[in-house]
Amino acid sequence: MSIAEKTTHTVSESLKTTFKTFLIVVVFGIAFGYIEAAVVVYLRQIFYPGGFTFPITIFDDIDTLSRHVLLTEIGREAATIVLIFTGAWLFGHTPHQRLACFMIIFAVWDIFYYVWLKVLLDWPASIMDWDILFLIPVTWASPVLYPVLISATLIVFAVVILYFCCLGRSIKVTPADWLAFCASGLIVVTSFCLPGLHSSELDYASHFYWPLFAVGYLPGIAIFLKCLLKSK
């Protein structure tokens, strides 16, 4: 077997192994999404027995037991992130693979959270329905479209990273690129936190600024593409 044939064979085997890992990670994310959705079904029965709507209930005005449940939910969210990190660490074998696995688990978990809620509660009625996304360190809120868009993008990024890993290569990212990625992510998070701070107010929807979201989201894609082009 020639060197070229050996290289092709090695890449082919690596692709097969990576594809199997990808499928397992996706199944993990789908199952995790169901667990998340099931918890939300219980929480909505407790906090919103008449139906989940915006503006949301002001938690400071509810009873002690409900506040205890809320604090428990915040702890569960923190534990969820730890579990995603742990799963990514176990599924991946290199830093790049682990990063890609984290992206996939997080993204599939997030997307199928809404898929399972649709199955269990017939919610959301549309992609523009509002949802509480996260509670750490403050409430995050936005229409469903935007976190799903982020998750779909993360899956694309992860697939590209895994493909490079199969080729025995890595995407070149400079410290400046990492800094720009972090800034981009921080802007996106801010675009979710701002309306979250007003989620109990009647004009909650006016506090989501999609241009601010775009200022974080689009440069993040541009930076990734720039790194990808440098790595060819």
Side-chain angles (χ1 to χ4, degrees):
M1 185 181 292
S2 66
I3 294 178
E5 289 174 333
K6 288 181 179 179
T7 301
T8 301
H9 177 73
T10 300
V11 171
S12 177
E13 289 300 313
S14 180
L15 284 170
K16 290 179 181 178
T17 301
T18 301
F19 182 68
K20 290 178 182 178
T21 301
F22 175 81
L23 290 180
I24 294 172
V25 170
V26 168
V27 170
F28 181 85
I30 292 173
F32 208 3
Y34 183 88
I35 293 172
E36 180 84 4
V39 171
V40 169
V41 169
Y42 308 146
L43 289 175
R44 289 191 181 182
Q45 186 61 39
I46 295 171
F47 289 108
Y48 304 99
F52 177 75
T53 59
F54 269 72
I56 63 171
T57 301
I58 300 176
F59 293 120
D60 289 341
D61 292 343
I62 58 180
D63 59 69
T64 302
L65 176 60
S66 295
R67 281 198 295 273
H68 178 72
V69 173
L70 176 61
L71 290 174
T72 302
E73 168 62 10
I74 292 173
R76 186 198 64 80
E77 287 187 353
T80 294
I81 299 301
V82 173
L83 286 174
I84 294 176
F85 269 114
T86 303
W89 182 271
L90 293 174
F91 286 121
H93 302 290
T94 67
H96 287 88
Q97 288 178 349
R98 285 166 177 158
L99 174 61
C101 287
F102 177 85
M103 290 179 172
I104 294 168
I105 294 172
F106 183 92
V108 173
W109 161 69
D110 185 51
I111 291 171
F112 273 85
Y113 159 71
Y114 290 112
V115 171
W116 289 122
L117 279 182
K118 186 66 176 178
V119 172
L120 297 171
L121 297 177
D122 194 26
W123 185 93
S126 83
I127 198 71
M128 294 308 295
D129 280 2
W130 276 67
D131 189 27
I132 296 298
L133 310 180
F134 211 52
L135 297 173
I136 303 173
V138 297
T139 301
W140 303 17
S142 83
V144 171
L145 169 65
Y146 296 97
V148 169
L149 187 60
I150 291 290
S151 293
T153 303
L154 288 179
I155 291 174
V156 174
F157 285 2
V159 169
V160 173
I161 293 170
L162 289 176
Y163 179 71
F164 267 69
C165 290
C166 290
L167 298 179
R169 299 165 56 191
S170 61
I171 297 176
K172 299 177 182 178
V173 185
T174 65
D177 293 327
W178 280 117
L179 185 61
F181 270 125
C182 291
S184 176
L186 183 60
I187 293 172
V188 169
V189 169
T190 300
S191 75
F192 293 147
C193 290
L194 288 177
L197 295 173
H198 301 274
S199 56
S200 62
E201 301 171 7
L202 292 176
D203 64 343
Y204 65 90
S206 66
H207 294 280
F208 181 78
Y209 307 107
W210 68 262
L212 179 62
F213 172 86
V215 166
Y217 175 70
L218 295 177
I221 295 177
I223 296 164
F224 184 82
L225 292 176
K226 186 193 79 169
C227 295
L228 192 59
L229 291 173
K230 288 192 306 182
S231 305
K232 286 188 176 181

